[in-house]
Amino acid sequence: MSPTKQQEAESSSDHDPQVVVTPAEATHSKRQNRGLWRDLTAYWILGLCNNYGYVVMLSAAHDIIKQFNPTDETEEATGRGCHLVSTGAILLADVLPSLFVKMLMPFFPFWVNFRISIAVAFSAAGFLLVGFANAEWMALLGVIITSASSGIGETTFLAYSSRYNKNVISTWSSGTGGAGVIGSLSYATLRDLDVSPRDTMLIMLIFPAIEAFAFWLLLRRPQVDILPVTTVESTEVLIRDDKPLVGFKEKFFYIKHLLKYMLPLCLVYFFEYFINQGLFELVYFEDIFLSKESQYRWLNVDYQIGVFISRSSVNIFQLNRIWLMSVFQFINVVYFLTEVIWWYTPSIWIVFAIVLWEGLLGGGAYVNTFYRMSKEITPDRQQFAMAMVVQSDSYGIALAGFLAIPVHNAICGLPAAVRNVAW
């Protein structure tokens, strides 16, 4: 390079505060870009397998309750066709263990191989327990173990993503969205084909095996000796956040900087799961091509399609104002709450459209939150930040489960409404 061109390059670099790159980082970047497809593919599969069991348990919630509660006096008295044990009970069993795990994981040693071994083993055990359950407590234990597996995996994989190209966040999110579609669709399809619950769960044991393959064989090991390329929004962010967090106290006080990510995500999921686990079961259209049980299953499939589309869209469309999604999700709550009381919607296809919109909002809030963090927080703090913020959706889901049970039971006690107009 001539002296003039070298001076121009140095001058250009001096006036570009957006990217800070050392020679070692540049070498690492070239290494990482070769075979990047393996990391991106592995993270998509890991997102799929990690959330698959969680989604299946929620899709099976109505069947699990019906299996151990075949009759209900309230169902006969009011004609609403619902059980006093709501699907919110399954939601709590599916989210509280995951939330507990997510709260503890950021403060434990990051033994990644040990954590993933536990997650894979718990996932397989959960399917077996639910499949072979001969009592309600056994089925709930299977749901609890599956939830713990999902929590361990999510905190570990998101924290581990700080050692890879930031685009693994988008493929992870897409994979978790894919878990929603594939999980709910596979369960609904197998059950509509009259495959028994036990055989359905045994078929699904393939997913823990695929998760193990993706992590230990497909995903490349990160180069821990060289830091990844640091790209941040401004030099001010880099100066403020470049020091690693050390010790419990420093990590604890750093949480206040993460509230701008946590609160909107928590609200979106609170509204979303209040609908899904408290109100979905009460949406019922008589004399149509789907039975009551099938309506519940296929509404879940529809919701998960919306989640998958939005979680896969971050490289095309980004939205930083997550709080807007929480406002729209609250409007959905108002609609469903009034619908299940008065049954005024004339067609199930309108409900399918609104449920798809609900899924788009939930998935969009998730992926945009973590993608924004991958750009705004430096790698030294990303591992802890990701592991903390991933808890926020679980807080919202847990609160939704607690609220869904009394609201669901109160609506079950009302006389059945009459749907006067139906197309």
Side-chain angles (χ1 to χ4, degrees):
M1 181 184 289
S2 67
T4 304
K5 289 183 179 179
Q6 185 174 358
Q7 288 170 3
E8 288 175 358
E10 290 172 355
S11 174
S12 174
S13 176
D14 290 341
H15 289 86
D16 184 5
Q18 299 297 315
V19 181
V20 180
V21 183
T22 66
E25 288 171 341
T27 303
H28 175 77
S29 179
K30 290 177 182 176
R31 256 191 239 153
Q32 286 293 82
N33 286 333
R34 287 196 297 267
L36 178 61
W37 67 269
R38 284 181 55 184
D39 301 335
L40 298 177
T41 305
Y43 256 84
W44 193 93
I45 295 171
L46 292 171
L48 167 69
C49 296
N50 186 73
N51 280 32
Y52 183 84
Y54 171 83
V55 170
V56 166
M57 297 308 170
L58 292 183
S59 297
H62 190 275
D63 290 343
I64 292 171
I65 288 170
K66 188 175 181 180
Q67 179 182 354
F68 299 107
N69 299 274
T71 60
D72 192 298
E73 293 179 1
T74 303
E75 179 178 352
E76 295 175 359
T78 66
R80 281 190 172 267
C82 57
H83 298 285
L84 283 180
V85 181
S86 93
T87 51
I90 302 296
L91 174 63
L92 289 178
D94 209 14
V95 73
L96 288 180
S98 176
L99 174 59
F100 181 70
V101 165
K102 289 177 183 179
M103 290 172 66
L104 295 179
M105 285 293 104
F107 302 99
F108 275 75
F110 196 71
W111 299 332
V112 64
N113 289 292
F114 176 74
R115 289 186 180 193
I116 302 309
S117 298
I118 296 295
V120 170
F122 276 21
S123 179
F127 285 126
L128 289 171
L129 278 167
V130 174
F132 288 96
N134 52 21
E136 191 168 10
W137 70 265
M138 192 172 174
L140 288 175
L141 180 60
V143 175
I144 288 168
I145 290 176
T146 302
S147 171
S149 166
S150 177
I152 294 168
E154 189 168 18
T155 52
T156 303
F157 290 132
L158 279 172
Y160 205 43
S161 71
S162 64
R163 307 183 186 186
Y164 293 89
N165 185 291
K166 73 175 187 297
N167 283 318
V168 299
I169 293 293
S170 62
T171 56
W172 161 270
S173 298
S174 177
T176 59
V181 176
I182 295 171
S184 58
L185 184 60
S186 60
Y187 182 80
T189 302
L190 288 170
R191 294 297 290 121
D192 281 355
L193 292 173
D194 290 328
V195 179
S196 69
R198 177 176 299 181
D199 290 343
T200 298
M201 293 298 165
L202 291 177
I203 290 169
M204 292 171 178
L205 282 172
I206 191 173
F207 285 90
I210 295 172
E211 182 176 7
F213 165 79
F215 181 73
W216 280 296
L217 297 178
L218 183 58
L219 184 68
R220 296 178 300 167
R221 299 305 94 189
Q223 299 291 327
V224 296
D225 55 326
I226 306 173
L227 287 174
V229 176
T230 303
T231 306
V232 293
E233 296 299 320
S234 69
T235 52
E236 179 186 354
V237 176
L238 180 61
I239 293 168
R240 187 178 69 238
D241 282 351
D242 62 350
K243 292 182 180 179
L245 298 167
V246 179
F248 176 85
K249 184 177 180 181
E250 193 170 330
K251 289 179 178 179
F252 181 79
F253 283 104
Y254 184 68
I255 294 174
K256 65 182 180 182
H257 298 294
L258 303 175
L259 292 178
K260 65 180 179 180
Y261 306 110
M262 297 178 74
L263 290 177
L265 190 61
C266 178
L267 279 175
V268 168
Y269 274 80
F270 169 69
F271 296 139
E272 184 173 332
Y273 276 81
F274 177 69
I275 295 170
N276 292 2
Q277 304 308 123
L279 305 178
F280 258 20
E281 186 190 0
L282 305 176
V283 177
Y284 175 50
F285 288 78
E286 294 179 325
D287 302 323
I288 64 169
F289 61 99
L290 294 172
S291 68
K292 179 175 172 55
E293 291 77 13
S294 290
Q295 287 178 46
Y296 177 80
R297 294 185 199 124
W298 288 102
L299 281 172
N300 270 291
V301 173
D302 181 41
Y303 158 77
Q304 297 293 355
I305 289 171
V307 172
F308 174 64
I309 291 170
S310 55
R311 287 196 180 194
S312 305
S313 66
V314 73
N315 288 324
I316 302 169
F317 176 77
Q318 294 96 39
L319 180 65
N320 289 333
R321 297 179 181 178
I322 309 300
W323 61 268
L324 272 177
M325 299 187 193
S326 63
V327 172
F328 290 135
Q329 206 70 291
F330 175 72
I331 295 171
N332 288 338
V333 170
V334 173
Y335 163 74
F336 276 102
L337 193 58
T338 54
E339 161 60 22
V340 298
I341 293 173
W342 290 296
W343 286 0
Y344 57 82
T345 305
S347 170
I348 195 172
W349 296 111
I350 296 175
V351 177
F352 272 117
I354 296 173
V355 167
L356 182 70
W357 167 240
E358 179 208 350
L360 289 171
L361 292 173
Y366 182 94
V367 68
N368 280 283
T369 296
F370 290 108
Y371 191 76
R372 181 181 167 194
M373 289 174 66
S374 73
K375 295 191 299 180
E376 295 179 356
I377 300 176
T378 54
D380 285 326
R381 296 192 172 188
Q382 260 185 47
Q383 182 169 302
F384 175 77
M386 293 283 189
M388 283 303 304
V389 174
V390 77
Q391 301 175 24
S392 53
D393 61 348
S394 296
Y395 290 128
I397 296 170
L399 289 172
F402 282 114
L403 181 62
I405 293 172
V407 171
H408 172 279
N409 291 346
I411 296 171
C412 274
L414 297 175
V418 177
R419 201 178 297 278
N420 292 320
V421 180
W423 343 314

